[in-house]
């Protein structure tokens, strides 16, 4: 057992921490207020080779591991959760499908520019009528000679407005149920494929969340990701990895809540003393700190299992579920510790409070995580 | 162009310093970083190499084993090679002895130009690089904010009291960096991954033919008698009342209490 980060992981942590504090954090309030996608920051993330962090160099990546990736997501989200989800979705949902299932040719053609950060990646699974029940996809594809013709729509897709390609699930053989779902690669600009108007969200307002429409979209059969009929299995595996990153994103927000609350509690005086001297406040801070440390251990363990090619599905679900719920609790308590000031836009905790809620919903709701865990327990 | 950078590992400036039972600085829990002024020097070295499109940047550090992590940090930024002179266990050195070690180590390195931080943020003496220049018998320009290279010479801009001084000097020479010379880059992820694979030469004092006694307590010209922490700052005083009245009171207090006017 070794609880030390490797030299590279420690260096990466320092680097992203500094970058997040110096470049991202000063912009977070404005990104939230204007809802503008931080194109310039994303470009800088690309220059630091972070947009392809966990992929091999031959595919345009930096050859880092999942632990490093989780660290990067945490540190970025600590400074700005909008940027955090943008980053996490790019790697876990945008790049991973190509890395995990793409043919060599597809990896060269699509993963390389994604990992280099030439444009963003996105994964379209959710539909208006298929959310938690993602196998209930209604978007469908029909073969026509060497081409497939796709019709349907997707909803709430992160990054798709800035994506060079999106991967989407579609039913190719209804009679086969979940074994009749296939993933298709849809390049931007393909006729019939449109990106709809951005959703007006409660939080994560600087992230790009859009609907996608497919109206007789024709793609060649080379645009099937890996093997036909494997779409369902593929997205389950993509989501397993994605859960580590949503866990890490939650953790970053929770850490930001603790940092802000601890500082405020020390400074704010009531009844002639710092409110940090009141046991009621101390207990909140102690719980936050403990939860954060435990969540970090679980996230790093899940990431370590993945890096060591061991099963990590259950641990990733634990990590995502636990981290998102303790982060939501931390944000609630952070506002409480700030009192009326916490309810005001001048303090960042109201942003944390709005941003964090997504973590209990995206990439499988808390309820779905419990279903996944129970299933893996043999229920 | 072979560029040598002298780098010291120092405490993170955000570290809270405390003294141990023996009155020495307690290193437990301290975060060690590249001295910020040396970081400017590393950045300038990398930019020179990038401008010329060729060259080699070597980073040399004298210090205990842990200094290696800071050399790796410079390699992650883009430097090509590290040299660590391990002084682990050495006691009582000062700027005079450190300069001797550095100068001796430089014999193992090829260079056309040497860059260093103008001072280290820990003891802030600003002496080592100038002393090294003397020992090597080459020119030095300290506290520079700009450096231009031409055939066999350099034009450096250095800060002086009421302005700047522009100095032309023949190479090889030593230049020490002031803030403003070059804002250091963040190491990239690829840089971090490559850092471990880059060459690192290690020398002990014996390897350099140095006697640990003579570059430690026995050789030092300066001996530290005692270390103490600054007295903690007392809370401020708020003077209330109408502005004119308050200003008068403040002046009075500055005279009678603070005794500064
Ligand atoms: C900001 C944002 C970004 C997103 N980005 C993406 C993206 O990039 N790609 C993508 O494909 N999707 C994305 N989504 C969609 C997200 O994954 C879904 O919203 C989520 O999976 C839930 O689906 P739903 O909204 O349809 O809710 P529903 O599935 O309708 O769930 C409603 C409620 O019912 C509960 N519920 C559902 N089924 C069960 C059950 N069997 N047992 C118990 N409770 C149940 C749920 O837990 C939830 O509480 C994003 C969503 C948001 C808000």
């Amino acid at each position: 057992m070794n609880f030390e980060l490797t030299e590279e992981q420690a260096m990466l942590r320092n680097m992203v921490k500094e970058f997040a504090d110096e470049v991202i954090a000063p912009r977070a309030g404005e990104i939230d207020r204007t809802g503008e996608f931080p194109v310039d920051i994303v470009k800088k993330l690309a220059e630091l080779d972070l947009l392809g962090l966990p992929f091999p160099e031959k595919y345009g990546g930096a050859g880092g591991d999942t632990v490093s990736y989780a660290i990067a997501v945490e540190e970025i989200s600590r400074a700005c959760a909008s940027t955090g989800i943008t980053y996490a979705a790019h790697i876990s949902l945008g790049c991973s499908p190509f890395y995990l299932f793409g043919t060599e040719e597809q990896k060269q053609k699509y993963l390389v520019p994604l990992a280099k950060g030439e444009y963003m990646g996105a994964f379209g699974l959710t539909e208006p009528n298929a959310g938690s029940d993602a196998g209930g996809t209604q978007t469908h594809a029909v073969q026509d000679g060497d081409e497939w013709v796709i019709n349907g729509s997707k909803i709430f897709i992160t990054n798709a407005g800035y994506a060079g390609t999106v991967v989407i699930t579609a039913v190719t053989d209804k009679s086969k149920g979940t074994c009749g779902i296939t993933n298709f690669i849809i390049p931007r600009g393909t006729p019939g494929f449109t990106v709809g108007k951005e959703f007006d969200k409660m939080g994560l307002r600087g992230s790009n969340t859009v609907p996608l429409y497919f109206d007789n979209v024709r793609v060649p059969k080379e645009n099937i990701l890996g093997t036909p009929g494997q779409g369902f299995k593929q997205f389950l595996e993509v989501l397993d990895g994605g859960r580590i990153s949503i866990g890490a994103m939650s953790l970053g927000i929770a850490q930001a809540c603790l940092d802000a609350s601890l500082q405020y509690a020390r400074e704010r005086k009531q009844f002639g003393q710092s409110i940090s001297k009141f046991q009621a406040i101390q207990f909140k801070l102690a719980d936050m700190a403990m939860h954060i440390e435990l969540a970090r251990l679980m996230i790093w363990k899940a990431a370590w299992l993945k890096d060591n090619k061991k099963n990590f599905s259950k641990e990733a679900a634990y990590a995502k579920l636990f981290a998102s719920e303790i982060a939501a609790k931390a944000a609630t308590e952070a506002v409480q510790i700030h009192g009326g000031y916490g309810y005001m836009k001048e303090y960042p905790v109201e942003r944390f409070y709005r941003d964090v809620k997504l973590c209990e919903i995206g990439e499988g709701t808390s309820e779905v995580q419990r279903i996944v865990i129970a299933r893996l327990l043999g229920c | 162009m072979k560029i040598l950078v002298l780098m010291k590992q120092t405490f993170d400036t955000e570290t809270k310093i405390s003294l141990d039972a023996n009155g020495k600085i307690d290193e437990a829990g301290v975060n060690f970083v590249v001295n910020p002024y040396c970081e400017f020097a590393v950045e300038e070295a990398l930019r020179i190499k990038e401008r010329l499109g060729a060259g080699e940047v070597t980073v040399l550090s004298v210090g205990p084993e842990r200094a290696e992590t800071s050399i790796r940090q410079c390699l992650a930024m883009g430097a090509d090679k590290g040299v660590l002179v391990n002084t682990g266990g050495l006691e009582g050195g000062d700027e005079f002895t450190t300069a001797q070690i550095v100068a001796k180590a430089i014999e193992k390195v090829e260079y056309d130009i040497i860059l260093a931080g103008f001072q280290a943020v820990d003891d802030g003496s600003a002496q080592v690089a100038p002393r090294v220049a003397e020992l090597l018998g080459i020119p030095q320009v300290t506290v520079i904010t700009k450096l231009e290279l031409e055939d066999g010479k350099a034009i450096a801009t250095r800060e002086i009291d009421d302005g700047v001084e522009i100095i032309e000097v023949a190479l090889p020479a030593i230049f020490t960096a002031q803030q403003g010379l070059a804002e250091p880059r963040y190491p990239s992820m690829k840089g971090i991954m490559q850092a471990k694979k880059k060459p690192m030469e290690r020398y002990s004092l014996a390897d350099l033919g140095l006697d640990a006694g003579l570059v430690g307590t026995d050789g030092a010209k300066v001996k530290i008698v005692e270390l103490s922490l600054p007295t903690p700052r007392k809370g401020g005083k708020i003077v209330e009342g109408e502005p004119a009245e308050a200003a008068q009171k403040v002046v009075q207090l500055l005279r009678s209490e603070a005794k500064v006017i």
Side-chain angles (χ1 to χ4, degrees), chain A residues 345-360:
Chain A
K345 298 264 183 195
E346 279 83 25
Y347 283 86
V349 290
E350 67 83 32
R351 165 163 56 86
F352 303 156
Y353 187 82
R354 288 180 287 109
D355 284 348
V356 78
K357 186 61 201 174
L358 179 272
C359 300
E360 294 178 298

PDB file of all heavy atoms in Angstrom, chain A residues 345-360:
ATOM      1  N   LYS A 345     -24.594  37.333  -4.407  1.00  0.00           N
ATOM      2  CA  LYS A 345     -23.670  37.034  -5.505  1.00  0.00           C
ATOM      3  C   LYS A 345     -22.240  37.492  -5.218  1.00  0.00           C
ATOM      4  O   LYS A 345     -21.325  37.095  -5.922  1.00  0.00           O
ATOM      5  CB  LYS A 345     -24.146  37.713  -6.793  1.00  0.00           C
ATOM      6  CG  LYS A 345     -25.504  37.239  -7.270  1.00  0.00           C
ATOM      7  CD  LYS A 345     -25.378  36.159  -8.324  1.00  0.00           C
ATOM      8  CE  LYS A 345     -26.755  35.767  -8.829  1.00  0.00           C
ATOM      9  NZ  LYS A 345     -26.762  34.516  -9.575  1.00  0.00           N
ATOM     10  N   GLU A 346     -22.068  38.380  -4.220  1.00  0.00           N
ATOM     11  CA  GLU A 346     -20.706  38.857  -3.940  1.00  0.00           C
ATOM     12  C   GLU A 346     -19.809  37.727  -3.456  1.00  0.00           C
ATOM     13  O   GLU A 346     -18.595  37.810  -3.573  1.00  0.00           O
ATOM     14  CB  GLU A 346     -20.706  39.957  -2.876  1.00  0.00           C
ATOM     15  CG  GLU A 346     -21.054  41.328  -3.401  1.00  0.00           C
ATOM     16  CD  GLU A 346     -22.562  41.510  -3.500  1.00  0.00           C
ATOM     17  OE1 GLU A 346     -23.290  40.824  -2.756  1.00  0.00           O
ATOM     18  OE2 GLU A 346     -23.009  42.295  -4.332  1.00  0.00           O
ATOM     19  N   TYR A 347     -20.392  36.717  -2.883  1.00  0.00           N
ATOM     20  CA  TYR A 347     -19.590  35.593  -2.379  1.00  0.00           C
ATOM     21  C   TYR A 347     -19.748  34.405  -3.318  1.00  0.00           C
ATOM     22  O   TYR A 347     -20.833  34.198  -3.877  1.00  0.00           O
ATOM     23  CB  TYR A 347     -20.028  35.229  -0.958  1.00  0.00           C
ATOM     24  CG  TYR A 347     -19.491  36.201   0.060  1.00  0.00           C
ATOM     25  CD1 TYR A 347     -20.174  37.378   0.341  1.00  0.00           C
ATOM     26  CD2 TYR A 347     -18.277  35.955   0.700  1.00  0.00           C
ATOM     27  CE1 TYR A 347     -19.668  38.282   1.249  1.00  0.00           C
ATOM     28  CE2 TYR A 347     -17.768  36.863   1.611  1.00  0.00           C
ATOM     29  CZ  TYR A 347     -18.461  38.030   1.886  1.00  0.00           C
ATOM     30  OH  TYR A 347     -17.948  38.918   2.777  1.00  0.00           O
ATOM     31  N   PRO A 348     -18.684  33.622  -3.492  1.00  0.00           N
ATOM     32  CA  PRO A 348     -18.759  32.567  -4.510  1.00  0.00           C
ATOM     33  C   PRO A 348     -19.615  31.364  -4.107  1.00  0.00           C
ATOM     34  O   PRO A 348     -19.969  30.565  -4.953  1.00  0.00           O
ATOM     35  CB  PRO A 348     -17.292  32.133  -4.668  1.00  0.00           C
ATOM     36  CG  PRO A 348     -16.660  32.450  -3.359  1.00  0.00           C
ATOM     37  CD  PRO A 348     -17.358  33.673  -2.853  1.00  0.00           C
ATOM     38  N   VAL A 349     -19.961  31.254  -2.810  1.00  0.00           N
ATOM     39  CA  VAL A 349     -20.618  30.008  -2.398  1.00  0.00           C
ATOM     40  C   VAL A 349     -21.999  29.805  -3.012  1.00  0.00           C
ATOM     41  O   VAL A 349     -22.438  28.671  -3.184  1.00  0.00           O
ATOM     42  CB  VAL A 349     -20.670  29.861  -0.854  1.00  0.00           C
ATOM     43  CG1 VAL A 349     -19.269  29.612  -0.311  1.00  0.00           C
ATOM     44  CG2 VAL A 349     -21.307  31.059  -0.188  1.00  0.00           C
ATOM     45  N   GLU A 350     -22.683  30.900  -3.363  1.00  0.00           N
ATOM     46  CA  GLU A 350     -23.994  30.689  -4.005  1.00  0.00           C
ATOM     47  C   GLU A 350     -23.808  30.055  -5.400  1.00  0.00           C
ATOM     48  O   GLU A 350     -24.635  29.288  -5.851  1.00  0.00           O
ATOM     49  CB  GLU A 350     -24.815  31.988  -4.042  1.00  0.00           C
ATOM     50  CG  GLU A 350     -24.279  33.110  -4.935  1.00  0.00           C
ATOM     51  CD  GLU A 350     -24.681  32.964  -6.387  1.00  0.00           C
ATOM     52  OE1 GLU A 350     -25.765  32.441  -6.672  1.00  0.00           O
ATOM     53  OE2 GLU A 350     -23.875  33.388  -7.249  1.00  0.00           O
ATOM     54  N   ARG A 351     -22.683  30.365  -6.033  1.00  0.00           N
ATOM     55  CA  ARG A 351     -22.370  29.722  -7.319  1.00  0.00           C
ATOM     56  C   ARG A 351     -22.086  28.235  -7.104  1.00  0.00           C
ATOM     57  O   ARG A 351     -22.571  27.396  -7.853  1.00  0.00           O
ATOM     58  CB  ARG A 351     -21.167  30.422  -7.975  1.00  0.00           C
ATOM     59  CG  ARG A 351     -20.528  29.656  -9.114  1.00  0.00           C
ATOM     60  CD  ARG A 351     -19.638  30.537  -9.985  1.00  0.00           C
ATOM     61  NE  ARG A 351     -18.585  31.220  -9.246  1.00  0.00           N
ATOM     62  CZ  ARG A 351     -17.386  30.685  -8.981  1.00  0.00           C
ATOM     63  NH1 ARG A 351     -17.096  29.464  -9.393  1.00  0.00           N
ATOM     64  NH2 ARG A 351     -16.480  31.375  -8.312  1.00  0.00           N
ATOM     65  N   PHE A 352     -21.304  27.941  -6.059  1.00  0.00           N
ATOM     66  CA  PHE A 352     -21.002  26.529  -5.781  1.00  0.00           C
ATOM     67  C   PHE A 352     -22.311  25.755  -5.561  1.00  0.00           C
ATOM     68  O   PHE A 352     -22.469  24.623  -6.013  1.00  0.00           O
ATOM     69  CB  PHE A 352     -20.134  26.378  -4.526  1.00  0.00           C
ATOM     70  CG  PHE A 352     -18.824  27.133  -4.575  1.00  0.00           C
ATOM     71  CD1 PHE A 352     -18.172  27.507  -3.397  1.00  0.00           C
ATOM     72  CD2 PHE A 352     -18.235  27.474  -5.792  1.00  0.00           C
ATOM     73  CE1 PHE A 352     -16.972  28.192  -3.426  1.00  0.00           C
ATOM     74  CE2 PHE A 352     -17.032  28.168  -5.828  1.00  0.00           C
ATOM     75  CZ  PHE A 352     -16.406  28.528  -4.643  1.00  0.00           C
ATOM     76  N   TYR A 353     -23.233  26.393  -4.849  1.00  0.00           N
ATOM     77  CA  TYR A 353     -24.517  25.782  -4.493  1.00  0.00           C
ATOM     78  C   TYR A 353     -25.317  25.431  -5.751  1.00  0.00           C
ATOM     79  O   TYR A 353     -25.915  24.366  -5.844  1.00  0.00           O
ATOM     80  CB  TYR A 353     -25.269  26.800  -3.635  1.00  0.00           C
ATOM     81  CG  TYR A 353     -26.552  26.344  -3.004  1.00  0.00           C
ATOM     82  CD1 TYR A 353     -26.556  25.620  -1.818  1.00  0.00           C
ATOM     83  CD2 TYR A 353     -27.789  26.689  -3.567  1.00  0.00           C
ATOM     84  CE1 TYR A 353     -27.740  25.244  -1.212  1.00  0.00           C
ATOM     85  CE2 TYR A 353     -28.977  26.310  -2.966  1.00  0.00           C
ATOM     86  CZ  TYR A 353     -28.952  25.586  -1.786  1.00  0.00           C
ATOM     87  OH  TYR A 353     -30.126  25.216  -1.197  1.00  0.00           O
ATOM     88  N   ARG A 354     -25.282  26.339  -6.739  1.00  0.00           N
ATOM     89  CA  ARG A 354     -26.014  26.075  -7.984  1.00  0.00           C
ATOM     90  C   ARG A 354     -25.257  25.091  -8.867  1.00  0.00           C
ATOM     91  O   ARG A 354     -25.844  24.214  -9.487  1.00  0.00           O
ATOM     92  CB  ARG A 354     -26.251  27.389  -8.746  1.00  0.00           C
ATOM     93  CG  ARG A 354     -27.278  28.305  -8.102  1.00  0.00           C
ATOM     94  CD  ARG A 354     -27.481  29.590  -8.893  1.00  0.00           C
ATOM     95  NE  ARG A 354     -26.362  30.521  -8.788  1.00  0.00           N
ATOM     96  CZ  ARG A 354     -25.510  30.798  -9.755  1.00  0.00           C
ATOM     97  NH1 ARG A 354     -25.643  30.231 -10.946  1.00  0.00           N
ATOM     98  NH2 ARG A 354     -24.517  31.644  -9.563  1.00  0.00           N
ATOM     99  N   ASP A 355     -23.926  25.259  -8.914  1.00  0.00           N
ATOM    100  CA  ASP A 355     -23.125  24.404  -9.804  1.00  0.00           C
ATOM    101  C   ASP A 355     -23.164  22.937  -9.374  1.00  0.00           C
ATOM    102  O   ASP A 355     -23.212  22.033 -10.204  1.00  0.00           O
ATOM    103  CB  ASP A 355     -21.656  24.861  -9.804  1.00  0.00           C
ATOM    104  CG  ASP A 355     -21.421  26.124 -10.629  1.00  0.00           C
ATOM    105  OD1 ASP A 355     -22.342  26.525 -11.378  1.00  0.00           O
ATOM    106  OD2 ASP A 355     -20.320  26.703 -10.527  1.00  0.00           O
ATOM    107  N   VAL A 356     -23.124  22.712  -8.068  1.00  0.00           N
ATOM    108  CA  VAL A 356     -22.893  21.355  -7.587  1.00  0.00           C
ATOM    109  C   VAL A 356     -24.050  20.408  -7.881  1.00  0.00           C
ATOM    110  O   VAL A 356     -23.863  19.194  -8.004  1.00  0.00           O
ATOM    111  CB  VAL A 356     -22.576  21.374  -6.067  1.00  0.00           C
ATOM    112  CG1 VAL A 356     -23.847  21.538  -5.232  1.00  0.00           C
ATOM    113  CG2 VAL A 356     -21.805  20.133  -5.653  1.00  0.00           C
ATOM    114  N   LYS A 357     -25.249  20.939  -8.032  1.00  0.00           N
ATOM    115  CA  LYS A 357     -26.420  20.051  -8.157  1.00  0.00           C
ATOM    116  C   LYS A 357     -26.306  19.095  -9.339  1.00  0.00           C
ATOM    117  O   LYS A 357     -26.752  17.956  -9.264  1.00  0.00           O
ATOM    118  CB  LYS A 357     -27.700  20.901  -8.254  1.00  0.00           C
ATOM    119  CG  LYS A 357     -28.990  20.099  -8.235  1.00  0.00           C
ATOM    120  CD  LYS A 357     -29.151  19.311  -6.930  1.00  0.00           C
ATOM    121  CE  LYS A 357     -30.123  18.164  -7.094  1.00  0.00           C
ATOM    122  NZ  LYS A 357     -30.196  17.286  -5.895  1.00  0.00           N
ATOM    123  N   LEU A 358     -25.697  19.577 -10.417  1.00  0.00           N
ATOM    124  CA  LEU A 358     -25.581  18.721 -11.606  1.00  0.00           C
ATOM    125  C   LEU A 358     -24.861  17.407 -11.289  1.00  0.00           C
ATOM    126  O   LEU A 358     -25.133  16.367 -11.888  1.00  0.00           O
ATOM    127  CB  LEU A 358     -24.847  19.479 -12.713  1.00  0.00           C
ATOM    128  CG  LEU A 358     -24.571  18.780 -14.050  1.00  0.00           C
ATOM    129  CD1 LEU A 358     -23.274  18.000 -14.062  1.00  0.00           C
ATOM    130  CD2 LEU A 358     -25.722  17.938 -14.548  1.00  0.00           C
ATOM    131  N   CYS A 359     -23.925  17.480 -10.333  1.00  0.00           N
ATOM    132  CA  CYS A 359     -23.112  16.298 -10.037  1.00  0.00           C
ATOM    133  C   CYS A 359     -23.966  15.125  -9.553  1.00  0.00           C
ATOM    134  O   CYS A 359     -23.584  13.973  -9.701  1.00  0.00           O
ATOM    135  CB  CYS A 359     -22.033  16.642  -9.003  1.00  0.00           C
ATOM    136  SG  CYS A 359     -20.917  17.932  -9.567  1.00  0.00           S
ATOM    137  N   GLU A 360     -25.122  15.427  -8.978  1.00  0.00           N
ATOM    138  CA  GLU A 360     -26.013  14.350  -8.526  1.00  0.00           C
ATOM    139  C   GLU A 360     -26.954  13.884  -9.644  1.00  0.00           C
ATOM    140  O   GLU A 360     -27.793  13.009  -9.415  1.00  0.00           O
ATOM    141  CB  GLU A 360     -26.851  14.831  -7.330  1.00  0.00           C
ATOM    142  CG  GLU A 360     -26.026  15.106  -6.079  1.00  0.00           C
ATOM    143  CD  GLU A 360     -26.886  15.623  -4.935  1.00  0.00           C
ATOM    144  OE1 GLU A 360     -27.486  16.713  -5.088  1.00  0.00           O
ATOM    145  OE2 GLU A 360     -26.963  14.931  -3.904  1.00  0.00           O
TER     146      GLU A 360
END
